[in-house]
Amino acid sequence: SERIVISPTSRQEGHAELVMEVDDEGIVTKGRYFSITPVRGLEKIVTGKAPETAPVIVQRICGVCPIPHTLASVEAIDDSLDIEVPKAGRLLRELTLAAHHVNSHAIHHFLIAPDFVPENLMADAINSVSEIRKNAQYVVDMVAGEGIHPSDVRIGGMADNITELARKRLYARLKQLKPKVDEHVELMIGLIEDKGLPKGLGVHNQPTLASHQIYGDRTKFDLDRFTEVMPESWYDDPEIAKRACSTIPLYDGRNVEVGPRARMVEFQGFKERGVVAQHVARALEMKTALARAIEILDELDTSAPVRADFDERGTGKLGVGAIEGPRGLDVHMAQVENGKIQFYSALVPTTWNIPTMGPATEGFHHEYGPHVIRAYDPCLSCATHVMVVDDEDRSVIRDEMVRL
Amino acid sequence: AEENAKPRIGYIHLSGCTGDAMSLTENYDILAELLTNMVDIVYGQTLVDLWEMPEMDLALVEGSVCLQDEHSLHELKELREKAKLVCAFGSCAATGCFTRYSRGGQQAQPSHESFVPIADLIDVDLAIPGCPPSPEIIAKAVVALLNNDMEYLQPMLDLAGYTEACGCDLQTKVVNQGLCTGCGTCAMACQTRALDMTNGRPELNSDRCIKCGICYVQCPRSWWPEEQIKKELGL
């Protein structure tokens, strides 16, 4: 058999390598996908620092999906400090994420455009993406302080509520955006379905994992069902294992798929699988997220408090923040004691998907490999910031968590 | 001939978050025009399927460089050879930004611990700091390059040497030198809200400072084009 290596894989965030073993007809018999992005060590950077520092630093895990990281970080610290965020603060956080979903999914359409959009429609497609992003990012800017690395999502809630005038304007702006998003979603789904990708491409038998339809719910993520192994015990090729820059997370001992399709399977009875289903789910989610953003802007009380008072000294409780990022479940864990972060860990969307993506290329010609990878909208800067549990034995992991 | 006249731009991603490239794409109204008619993106795995690094007029480099990652070092060296102009694109490449706080120890690659601005290793022609830089300044810099407007780019050319940035630069390089006018530009520019004005002078919350350098860069007292000032004042 022959070995096909794509390094780095393109039109995605960060550096990764796709290694496929193929038979005489070029059909992939074994696929392995792994991150080769250097590890900046953000979990170690924030350890020992003030709680306030953590969201500022960890949102810089990734400039494509900074919102979920910021939210998961503040939620984890809120949980560690037993903070009850006021309702208006919770709504503004959810509004930020809903607008970000619309923006981020549009960015993915920009990245996959060369796969699906004919040359004569390319400028129109880019303009359609830009028009949607401009409005969605305007909301993030206004509500969260900065569009790319939001400054105003804070421990305990948000830095400020928005004004009544801003609420009305944002509401009107998103209402006006709705027909544009509907049209865009229809265009993208049409182009993707017409592409004629082979039936069954990217279908795998791994379970899906999601905590909530849009925002995320820490009570739906069971730490006891989670384990993590080092690349050495996952990849059978020692050379790959040595170079792989992310660890392998498992739920109930199995690798999973997270992201838009997983959310629709878990919460909307969606049954489709594979590359086309992933793209369709992602596109449809733009409509769900926009509808939720409009609903929040309708019900938000702009005179209500958005941030709780809290004592930042902490008791060492292990706090969990679970957020549904555009690419899937993003779990951050934090322990605050003596006013400092004592332990920090981020279990991010692409890390969940990495062990599932390689095998999902199997059974089809290797030329389809990159299609399978891009259907997950991988984001590798994220995937290099994972927790350390150098053991396959679940009980040891739990002990270590408690001890930390 | 018209085809060949478009500047050839490459985007190289080292240890960054892609936020700077995202900011570039936030030039919503001109993005399609920029990408299809104004420049040729000839390299950059985030944007295009081209693996061989070609000759480039301009290389936009995002991210600091990890000294323990051989692949990054080779890529950096190669791009210096292939690019006429190298731009440290965003604060990680320009000043190291928050990766200055890195100290390794994290799986799956605990040896990755030293992250430095690219100017520590190669000659850099210009820098566009910011975490991320605004879409507007990126667009203006690219357009200035298209027009060979080096006067507009002069501050960015000078910033190529500003690699050790921190919010405390306002204190040591501005307030301590008797240069602060209390205008508040630094606090407005700070992207993490680490700065307030207290008694008319900047007050730094170091728990929020990421060492991006944008406060000092934006300070109207931090850049002195001495020759130009003398010329304009007839000195």
Side-chain angles (χ1 to χ4, degrees):
Chain A
S1 70
E2 198 190 339
R3 178 177 267 223
I4 308 277
V5 178
I6 300 180
S7 177
T9 43
S10 64
R11 285 186 283 124
Q12 59 168 45
E13 198 286 335
H15 295 247
E17 197 164 301
L18 175 63
V19 178
M20 295 173 285
E21 277 163 26
V22 300
D23 64 16
D24 296 342
E25 268 106 58
I27 305 299
V28 179
T29 55
K30 190 163 189 75
R32 302 187 201 79
Y33 179 77
F34 56 98
S35 164
I36 51 173
T37 306
V39 177
R40 293 167 296 171
L42 278 87
E43 294 163 357
K44 299 298 176 196
I45 290 178
V46 301
T47 304
K49 293 198 169 60
E52 186 180 9
T53 304
V56 175
I57 298 288
V58 303
Q59 64 186 202
R60 286 167 169 80
I61 285 175
C62 179
V64 185
C65 48
I67 310 291
H69 293 310
T70 312
L71 291 168
S73 183
V74 294
E75 292 261 346
I77 296 167
D78 289 345
D79 189 28
S80 180
L81 296 176
D82 281 319
I83 298 168
E84 183 78 33
V85 177
K87 185 185 175 197
R90 293 201 309 271
L91 285 175
L92 286 173
R93 284 182 179 181
E94 191 178 349
L95 173 59
T96 306
L97 185 64
H100 175 68
H101 272 269
V102 175
N103 175 50
S104 181
H105 290 347
I107 293 170
H108 188 246
H109 289 158
F110 172 68
L111 294 178
I112 62 167
D115 296 335
F116 297 104
V117 181
E119 189 115 1
N120 63 329
L121 288 177
M122 191 59 87
D124 287 347
I126 295 177
N127 284 332
S128 176
V129 164
S130 285
E131 176 70 16
I132 291 168
R133 293 189 59 208
K134 177 159 77 173
N135 288 288
Q137 276 295 73
Y138 187 79
V139 176
V140 178
D141 260 323
M142 293 284 287
V143 174
E146 297 273 340
I148 290 182
H149 293 307
S151 53
D152 293 356
V153 177
R154 302 291 176 91
I155 298 164
M158 301 289 284
D160 298 292
N161 205 331
I162 57 173
T163 65
E164 186 60 10
L165 181 63
R167 183 188 71 78
K168 285 180 177 160
R169 287 195 159 188
L170 292 177
Y171 179 82
R173 197 166 174 132
L174 291 189
K175 274 280 199 187
Q176 281 169 11
L177 185 64
K178 189 175 181 308
K180 176 75 218 170
V181 166
D182 290 347
E183 186 194 326
H184 175 84
V185 168
E186 199 179 328
L187 170 79
M188 288 309 296
I189 290 179
L191 288 171
I192 288 159
E193 286 180 341
D194 290 349
K195 176 73 181 176
L197 289 175
K199 207 167 153 46
L201 181 67
V203 171
H204 59 73
N205 291 315
Q206 296 310 120
T208 50
L209 175 65
S211 70
H212 189 267
Q213 190 175 330
I214 294 176
Y215 185 70
D217 180 352
R218 70 168 68 90
T219 66
K220 296 280 162 42
F221 175 74
D222 186 351
L223 210 49
D224 288 344
R225 295 167 68 186
F226 161 73
T227 50
E228 189 159 40
V229 297
M230 295 300 289
E232 289 86 343
S233 30
W234 186 260
Y235 297 104
D236 49 14
D237 182 326
E239 185 55 25
I240 289 178
K242 203 177 88 192
R243 292 175 56 220
C245 290
S246 75
T247 52
I248 307 294
L250 306 171
Y251 206 65
D252 293 332
R254 302 181 69 185
N255 55 303
V256 298
E257 177 184 333
V258 299
R261 191 188 75 89
R263 284 190 283 268
M264 283 188 63
V265 167
E266 298 291 321
F267 295 100
Q268 294 186 55
F270 192 67
K271 297 266 190 282
E272 304 300 312
R273 299 188 291 163
V275 169
V276 172
Q278 287 171 293
H279 286 306
V280 168
R282 188 174 292 110
L284 289 175
E285 203 169 59
M286 293 172 84
K287 292 166 69 151
T288 317
L290 181 64
R292 181 62 186 141
I294 291 170
E295 199 175 85
I296 291 169
L297 282 164
D298 192 30
E299 72 171 288
L300 179 73
D301 177 356
T302 53
S303 61
V306 292
R307 195 173 186 199
D309 286 329
F310 58 89
D311 181 340
E312 75 161 19
R313 285 172 298 180
T315 58
K317 176 186 167 189
L318 180 67
V320 176
I323 292 292
E324 289 293 332
R327 290 156 193 78
L329 180 62
D330 186 10
V331 180
H332 288 215
M333 290 174 250
Q335 273 180 316
V336 182
E337 199 170 6
N338 301 323
K340 302 283 183 207
I341 303 275
Q342 307 291 345
F343 168 75
Y344 200 95
S345 160
L347 185 56
V348 307
T350 296
T351 314
W352 287 109
N353 283 332
I354 279 178
T356 304
M357 288 153 79
T361 62
E362 291 166 13
F364 289 87
H365 194 277
H366 66 81
E367 285 181 358
Y368 290 109
H371 274 286
V372 175
I373 298 304
R374 276 197 284 274
Y376 287 83
D377 191 4
C379 186
L380 276 305
S381 288
C382 300
T384 54
H385 309 277
V386 292
M387 62 179 304
V388 187
V389 182
D390 190 3
D391 205 299
E392 288 170 87
D393 183 69
R394 191 177 302 185
S395 61
V396 173
I397 292 162
R398 275 214 309 275
D399 285 352
E400 194 163 315
M401 288 267 185
V402 174
R403 192 160 45 79
L404 282 163
Chain B
E2 186 70 16
E3 256 325 280
N4 297 336
K6 285 196 277 182
R8 297 159 55 81
I9 297 185
Y11 166 77
I12 290 94
H13 179 271
L14 298 174
S15 293
C17 76
T18 316
D20 307 313
M22 280 299 115
S23 190
L24 184 158
T25 70
E26 287 193 6
N27 283 292
Y28 307 112
D29 300 323
I30 59 163
L31 186 64
E33 171 69 9
L34 186 76
L35 294 183
T36 49
N37 293 325
M38 289 164 74
V39 301
D40 267 334
I41 305 286
V42 292
Y43 185 72
Q45 43 86 26
T46 310
L47 302 168
V48 286
D49 302 328
L50 300 161
W51 283 274
E52 191 74 18
M53 193 186 286
E55 302 282 321
M56 298 167 277
D57 294 310
L58 170 68
L60 295 170
V61 185
E62 169 161 1
S64 57
V65 55
C66 175
L67 298 182
Q68 287 83 16
D69 182 56
E70 204 182 331
H71 172 75
S72 303
L73 298 173
H74 284 304
E75 203 171 13
L76 191 62
K77 197 166 159 242
E78 185 181 0
L79 75 90
R80 180 61 277 186
E81 286 161 10
K82 301 254 170 93
K84 277 189 209 139
L85 287 175
V86 172
C87 172
F89 179 40
S91 283
C92 281
T95 71
C97 199
F98 79 93
T99 67
R100 286 289 199 183
Y101 295 119
S102 292
R103 53 196 170 192
Q106 186 169 311
Q107 296 293 2
Q109 296 290 354
S111 68
H112 292 176
E113 71 168 48
S114 314
F115 292 79
V116 296
I118 61 170
D120 280 13
L121 293 170
I122 59 166
D123 286 333
V124 172
D125 301 294
L126 71 159
I128 310 179
C131 187
S134 71
E136 294 83 359
I137 196 67
I138 300 168
K140 284 181 175 175
V142 170
V143 170
L145 279 165
L146 293 179
N147 299 330
N148 206 22
D149 183 355
M150 295 324 247
E151 196 182 327
Y152 182 83
L153 291 174
Q154 194 58 51
M156 296 179 213
L157 301 177
D158 291 352
L159 282 170
Y162 177 52
T163 57
E164 288 183 26
C166 182
C168 54
D169 292 347
L170 296 170
Q171 188 67 31
T172 56
K173 298 181 180 175
V174 184
V175 178
N176 289 167
Q177 309 301 321
L179 292 169
C180 183
T181 62
C183 71
T185 303
C186 52
M188 291 290 287
C190 177
Q191 291 171 288
T192 66
R193 312 296 184 266
L195 287 166
D196 280 315
M197 296 300 284
T198 299
N199 296 330
R201 294 291 180 265
E203 166 102 15
L204 176 69
N205 174 357
S206 56
D207 287 340
R208 300 187 72 83
C209 178
I210 52 168
K211 295 184 179 288
C212 70
I214 201 69
C215 53
Y216 179 66
V217 166
Q218 291 294 331
C219 171
R221 309 307 297 273
S222 69
W223 188 62
W224 290 96
E226 207 179 328
E227 290 305 313
Q228 198 176 335
I229 291 168
K230 281 182 180 161
K231 201 168 90 187
E232 284 175 15
L233 295 179
L235 295 171

